[in-house]
Amino acid sequence: MTLAVRVPDELAARVPAEQRGPGLGRDAVRLLVSHGTAVSHHAFADLPTLLRAGDLLIVNTSQTLPAAVDGTAGHARVVVHFSTRGDDGRWAVELRDPDGRGTTRARAGGPADSVVRLPGDVRLVLEEPLAPGSGRLWWARVPADVPALLRRHGRPIRYSYTERDQPLSAHQTVFALPSADGAGSAEMPSAARPFTAGLVARLVSQGVQFAPVILHTGVASPEAHEPPYPELFAVPEASARLINAARAGGGRVIAVGTTAVRAVESAAGPDGVVRAAAGRTELVVTPERGVRVVDGLLTGLHEPQASHLLMLEAVAGRAAVNRGYTEAVRRLYLWHEFGDTHLLLPEEFAHAGNCGGNCR
């Protein structure tokens, strides 16, 4: 799905919300709500007024890794983005060129047997492309404890639309939990970033439940908008029971982020029942495949060419996505991981009183 809208460069969120003015917090972003093709505009802090007792939010607890490390390939400086650890101990990595402004630009991968020298005299050896015909991500052998290497020498991945480097804490969500094996996400599961502990407490106090899942997201493709590749996920037994109970009780199951959708839909059978599951998921949610569990989606604003838009269409329909994005551009919403948010709910879940007088 490609949207017929153009997102001006000035709508890129260049710094986190809490850095845009005194007294602001993470939840100082806007929330666009799509009930089918009806659109309303809110502050993110209004989320408790848009949900009701019995609703359930699926949240990704993957922590963000400092996945960018400086290195040298021959005589050239490069930045290595560590993406995903394979079952055989290798890592999927992306090599990028420094652009002189603190960010990076795309670089051709390979060739096989190329050596990249990393801090601590670590030698990374490229072995083969992650997928046939794709030169962006390569499997690499790294004779080192990569999580320890990242903790010591890494920093969060940063893209060119941001103004400056941010500390790792700015890339962690309130739901992030450390993993015993040091695993995590190469990029922040950013849909959950605006949540604060206080907002979570307000939601819980009014009867909204939370079901934690894990999906360790790899490196995105800001230039190519490639579909996701196999990523590690886990849906615990307790979360599966919560989700099934919410559905049986008539509550709305709303995923916080596309990663949460991939995780829970990977654990759902054709009957829509969620069962505990863990492993790697290759699931790509499209309108043709549809969704079996998720009623709604809380997510950021994606580029008009992004593959994630197919998932949004699967949840809410093409007309709703088109209308929402047209309104987001018209109302000057901010894009990317530090930007504003979008709550998509199917039309049948719209009910009187939940637009706060802001429906259009």
Side-chain angles (χ1 to χ4, degrees):
M1 178 182 185
T2 299
L3 295 176
V5 298
R6 188 185 73 83
V7 182
D9 291 343
E10 57 267 24
L11 295 187
R14 305 194 183 281
V15 296
E18 61 271 24
Q19 297 178 17
R20 296 178 198 147
L24 296 180
R26 286 181 170 224
D27 58 356
V29 297
R30 299 165 72 188
L31 175 62
L32 174 71
V33 179
S34 294
H35 286 281
T37 55
V39 174
S40 58
H41 305 275
H42 309 265
F44 191 83
D46 296 335
L47 184 62
T49 69
L50 299 162
L51 302 180
R52 53 184 183 256
D55 287 344
L56 181 140
L57 296 176
I58 304 172
V59 295
N60 186 1
T61 61
S62 178
Q63 65 175 348
T64 308
L65 300 175
V69 179
D70 293 323
T72 55
H75 298 292
R77 292 177 57 237
V78 297
V79 177
V80 180
H81 288 175
F82 283 83
S83 184
T84 301
R85 180 164 47 195
D87 294 332
D88 59 1
R90 296 186 299 176
W91 279 79
V93 301
E94 178 188 30
L95 268 60
R96 294 179 69 88
D97 288 323
D99 63 4
R101 299 188 298 273
T103 53
T104 60
R105 56 178 172 262
R107 169 192 176 96
D113 299 322
S114 296
V115 174
V116 178
R117 295 191 176 276
L118 301 175
D121 202 27
V122 173
R123 296 172 77 254
L124 177 154
V125 181
L126 299 177
E127 293 192 344
E128 60 182 335
L130 185 68
S134 172
R136 185 177 71 91
L137 289 164
W138 281 68
W139 285 117
R141 189 71 63 181
V142 190
D145 180 343
V146 171
L149 174 74
L150 298 183
R151 288 194 299 271
R152 191 172 301 118
H153 301 291
R155 61 185 179 277
I157 290 174
R158 177 187 161 200
Y159 290 120
S160 59
Y161 48 77
T162 56
E163 187 174 292
R164 54 182 175 269
D165 285 342
Q166 296 291 338
L168 184 59
S169 59
H171 293 261
Q172 302 291 11
T173 74
V174 71
F175 304 110
L177 295 173
S179 174
D181 62 357
S185 290
E187 298 178 355
M188 172 177 52
S190 55
R193 190 184 189 279
F195 283 89
T196 64
L199 184 59
V200 171
R202 286 175 58 200
L203 288 164
V204 170
S205 70
Q206 74 178 48
V208 175
Q209 299 185 87
F210 289 82
V213 299
I214 295 171
L215 189 134
H216 296 314
T217 176
V219 175
S221 56
E223 296 88 9
H225 302 296
E226 298 166 356
Y229 50 86
E231 293 168 320
L232 288 166
F233 84 102
V235 176
E237 177 66 33
S239 293
R241 290 179 180 176
L242 276 173
I243 294 164
N244 292 332
R247 298 189 66 205
R252 298 176 294 184
V253 175
I254 300 168
V256 179
T258 58
T259 60
V261 176
R262 288 191 78 209
V264 72
E265 291 288 331
S266 297
D271 57 359
V273 175
V274 179
R275 298 169 177 85
R280 293 185 186 273
T281 178
E282 301 184 34
L283 177 65
V284 177
V285 178
T286 64
E288 291 73 28
R289 189 266 186 191
V291 287
R292 298 170 177 172
V293 178
V294 173
D295 299 313
L297 172 61
L298 178 64
T299 184
L301 292 163
H302 305 279
E303 292 285 355
Q305 304 84 17
S307 60
H308 287 312
L309 292 175
L310 290 172
M311 181 185 293
L312 273 64
E313 183 181 348
V315 172
R318 180 179 291 255
V321 178
N322 273 315
R323 175 69 194 283
Y325 272 66
T326 299
E327 279 291 294
V329 171
R330 190 175 74 85
R331 292 290 193 106
L332 305 181
Y333 277 69
L334 296 180
W335 256 251
H336 302 304
E337 67 265 32
F338 298 135
D340 295 318
T341 54
H342 188 189
L343 175 61
L344 298 111
L345 294 171
E347 194 166 11
E348 61 265 30
F349 284 113
H351 64 285
N354 61 4
C355 293
N358 294 316
C359 289
R360 293 180 59 88

